[in-house]
Amino acid sequence: MLTLTTGAAQVIQDLVADHPGAGLRISSNPVDADRIELGLAVTANPEPTDEIVDEQGSQVFLDLQVAPLLEDRTLDVEVSDDHEVAFKLLP
């Protein structure tokens, strides 16, 4: 199952602070037969088929195609001096 670094969990909590029950949703968009793009969005609720990762007080919703791909990965975050947020996946 996807795990979160402490930093990623904190940023997700900050993003959804005004929306109880909300989380970060990771979805997939097919590019071609061999590749997909991952999309990130803050959403109020998971889709009915999403896998829910509830860790360190943060929720991440994974769509059906993404969940198996991220099974052994860790979601991390980098925040720039300008407060720009960049999530990244670690092995």
Side-chain angles (χ1 to χ4, degrees):
M1 178 177 282
L2 178 72
T3 59
L4 309 176
T5 64
T6 301
Q10 184 60 56
V11 168
I12 294 167
Q13 288 173 19
D14 293 346
L15 289 171
V16 302
D18 295 333
H19 307 285
L24 181 71
R25 185 165 193 269
I26 304 177
S27 59
S28 61
N29 182 35
V31 174
D32 57 35
D34 297 325
R35 297 182 306 148
I36 62 168
E37 289 180 336
L38 298 180
L40 298 176
V42 173
T43 183
N45 300 298
E47 294 295 320
T49 57
D50 284 352
E51 181 177 308
I52 300 171
V53 176
D54 193 348
E55 190 175 318
Q56 302 179 53
S58 297
Q59 292 192 100
V60 178
F61 311 137
L62 305 174
D63 84 8
L64 273 177
Q65 287 74 34
V66 170
L69 300 174
L70 303 183
E71 192 168 296
D72 296 324
R73 305 295 293 268
T74 299
L75 185 65
D76 194 14
V77 69
E78 290 182 4
V79 180
S80 73
D81 292 338
D82 297 332
H83 304 286
E84 293 182 12
V85 174
F87 286 100
K88 63 182 180 177
L89 291 167
L90 304 175

